[in-house]
């Protein structure tokens, strides 16, 4: 199996062009599930990177012990402290209400090992899956998958973003040997990443590393965009935020294509502020969106890391990478998006 790298023009189709007719939410609403008293920065990086890339609203569902700290970081994120159910409220109804509002969700950043929080996260995953909501699983939520792979197995609208140790644990949980394919072979054919994605029934897996290897069990992408040399904590959370952003945009893209199809059949017309459409022959296949979203997120995060390291060197922190994520976006996509920008802007 050969390696593929999608064209930037294809990735850009997922990005909603900004128009005067748009309303709040037309560029996507995301939910971030994670954040405990010990880990407050991780979910902040996820939500903030998503907002910096252009989603309109980011809800952050966290433990009560994390809420005040996260709220102090920024007023832009809507912080909802009910990830841990109270004795009066299971929290499930509140979580369900949030999921009805969003186009994609991420789970796991800053979640921690607390069993109650992990169970709430598992219920959120199950609820999102029933509703067909795109899901990005990172960090501590991968422990849930290791314990019960069925929670996400077979759900093609999901992306897992493990680092090498997390990837090894996932492989072991699925009965695979992560060391059975050497590094060079994996770079050529996707190796263990492809096998794990296949074992999970078509879930997209992004194994972060020197090169990011992405597979849904059939196709393989490798993102080897130059990045910075620092490996500070939080970079994976920025990647998670970028991934959930493109997954949300992918959901909006699918809705626009469906609305256009209905319109051509004399049905419901697309609403104002929707994405400009291409001819049907150029439409992205919905099953390809998780792979494309993952590659776009890796590309932008790695470039943001490069830009931050170029400025700060050894002192680079993830806050510096976060500050570069919108610049990274402009560098990669701004010229392409000018082609669909209204002439009066």
């Amino acid at each position: 199996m050969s390696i593929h790298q999608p064209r930037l023009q294809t990735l850009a189709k997922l990005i909603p062009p900004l128009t005067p007719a748009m309303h709040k939410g037309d560029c996507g609403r995301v939910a971030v599930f994670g954040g405990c008293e010990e880990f407050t920065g991780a979910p902040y990086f996820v939500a903030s990177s998503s907002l910096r890339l252009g989603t309109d609203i980011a809800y952050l569902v966290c433990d009560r012990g994390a809420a005040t700290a996260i709220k102090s970081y920024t007023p832009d994120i809507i912080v909802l402290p009910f990830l841990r159910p109270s004795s009066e409220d299971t929290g499930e109804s509140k979580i369900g209400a949030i999921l009805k509002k969003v186009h994609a969700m991420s789970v796991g950043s800053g979640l921690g090992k607390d069993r109650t929080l992990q169970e709430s996260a598992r219920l959120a995953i199950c609820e999102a899956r029933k509703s067909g909501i795109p899901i990005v699983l990172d960090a501590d939520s991968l422990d849930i998958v290791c314990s019960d792979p069925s929670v996400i197995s077979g759900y093609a609208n999901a992306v897992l973003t493990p680092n090498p140790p997390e990837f090894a644990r996932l492989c072991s949980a699925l009965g695979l040997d992560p060391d059975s394919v050497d590094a060079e072979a994996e770079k050529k054919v996707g190796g263990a990443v492809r096998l794990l994605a296949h074992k999970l029934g078509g879930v997209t897996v992004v194994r972060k590393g020197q090169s990011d290897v992405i597979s849904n069990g059939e196709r393989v992408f490798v993102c080897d965009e130059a990045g910075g040399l620092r490996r500070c904590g939080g970079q994976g959370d920025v990647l998670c935020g970028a991934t959930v952003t493109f997954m949300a945009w992918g959901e909006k893209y699918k809705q626009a294509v469906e609305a256009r199809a209905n319109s051509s059949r004399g049905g419901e017309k697309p609403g104002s502020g929707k994405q400009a459409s291409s001819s049907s022959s150029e439409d992205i296949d919905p099953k390809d969106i998780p792979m494309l979203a993952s590659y776009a997120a890796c590309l932008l995060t790695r470039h943001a890391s490069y830009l931050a390291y170029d400025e700060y060197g050894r002192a680079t922190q993830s806050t510096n990478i976060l500050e570069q994520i919108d610049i990274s976006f402009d560098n990669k996509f701004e010229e392409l998006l000018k082609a669909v920008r209204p002439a009066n802007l």
Side-chain angles (χ1 to χ4, degrees):
M1 180 180 293
S2 61
I3 289 172
H4 300 277
Q5 289 185 329
R7 299 169 66 242
L8 288 179
Q9 290 86 346
T10 301
L11 302 178
K13 291 181 182 180
L14 297 176
I15 303 169
L18 302 178
T19 73
M22 299 185 90
H23 301 286
K24 181 171 62 178
D26 283 343
C27 280
R29 299 180 295 270
V30 302
V32 178
F33 286 79
C36 62
E37 186 172 9
E38 184 178 2
F39 304 114
T40 60
Y44 160 76
F45 283 129
V46 178
S48 192
S49 60
S50 183
L51 291 172
R52 282 175 176 263
L53 284 172
T55 54
D56 290 332
I57 299 175
Y59 300 97
L60 199 163
V61 184
C62 64
D63 189 16
R64 289 175 181 83
T68 300
I70 297 171
K71 288 181 184 221
S72 73
Y73 300 153
T74 176
D76 296 317
I77 300 169
I78 301 174
V79 181
L80 305 170
F82 49 70
L83 186 55
R84 183 188 300 275
S86 67
S87 57
E88 296 82 16
D89 183 10
T90 63
E92 293 180 50
S93 59
K94 292 181 179 179
I95 289 174
I98 291 299
L99 292 179
K100 290 179 182 178
K101 299 179 180 180
V102 302
H103 302 104
M105 65 178 287
S106 74
V107 185
S109 298
L111 182 64
K113 307 297 184 182
D114 183 279
R115 292 184 180 180
T116 302
L117 295 180
Q118 291 245 339
E119 177 60 16
S120 291
R122 188 189 69 81
L123 292 173
I125 294 168
C126 294
E127 186 68 25
R129 180 172 180 171
K130 285 190 295 183
S131 301
I133 297 170
I135 305 171
V136 181
L137 299 182
D138 185 41
D140 296 316
S141 68
L142 299 177
D143 291 339
I144 300 172
V145 179
C146 288
S147 299
D148 180 14
S150 68
V151 75
I152 204 66
S153 181
Y155 188 54
N157 211 13
V159 176
L160 277 60
T161 59
N163 59 28
E166 292 164 343
F167 179 80
R169 290 196 293 272
L170 285 167
C171 286
S172 296
L174 273 295
L176 300 174
D177 180 5
D179 298 321
S180 62
V181 182
D182 63 36
E184 185 61 29
E186 184 159 349
K187 186 174 180 181
K188 291 179 179 177
V189 298
V193 181
R194 180 171 56 85
L195 291 175
L196 178 61
H198 178 76
K199 191 81 169 180
L200 285 169
V203 171
T204 295
V205 176
V206 180
R207 199 206 67 170
K208 299 173 288 192
Q210 184 173 349
S211 295
D212 297 325
V213 183
I214 307 161
S215 180
N216 60 3
E218 297 179 0
R219 304 177 68 190
V220 176
F221 292 161
V222 173
C223 183
D224 53 8
E225 174 77 14
L229 299 181
R230 287 281 282 126
R231 297 295 179 264
C232 45
Q235 293 182 75
D237 302 308
V238 175
L239 172 64
C240 183
T243 307
V244 76
T245 299
F246 272 87
M247 290 292 278
W249 287 344
E251 194 68 11
K252 294 289 292 180
Y253 177 88
K254 287 189 289 185
Q255 292 173 4
V257 170
E258 290 169 3
R260 190 179 72 243
N262 289 336
S263 179
S264 66
R265 292 193 296 265
E268 182 178 337
K269 294 183 179 180
S272 62
K274 302 299 182 182
Q275 290 174 245
S277 60
S278 59
S279 64
S280 59
S281 62
E282 297 177 350
D283 288 339
I284 294 172
D285 190 326
K287 69 180 179 61
D288 292 333
I289 288 177
M291 287 282 290
L292 295 172
S294 299
Y295 185 91
C298 291
L299 178 74
L300 292 180
T301 305
R302 294 173 73 93
H303 185 53
S305 171
Y306 174 86
L307 294 173
Y309 184 79
D310 186 57
E311 182 172 353
Y312 294 99
R314 191 176 291 272
T316 302
Q317 298 295 305
S318 289
T319 49
N320 307 128
I321 297 172
L322 178 65
E323 291 166 355
Q324 297 289 342
I325 195 70
D326 52 322
I327 300 172
S328 173
F329 179 91
D330 288 345
N331 288 350
K332 297 299 181 182
F333 291 113
E334 186 62 22
E335 289 300 319
L336 293 172
L337 294 178
K338 284 181 180 178
V340 294
R341 180 179 295 163
N344 63 335
L345 291 183

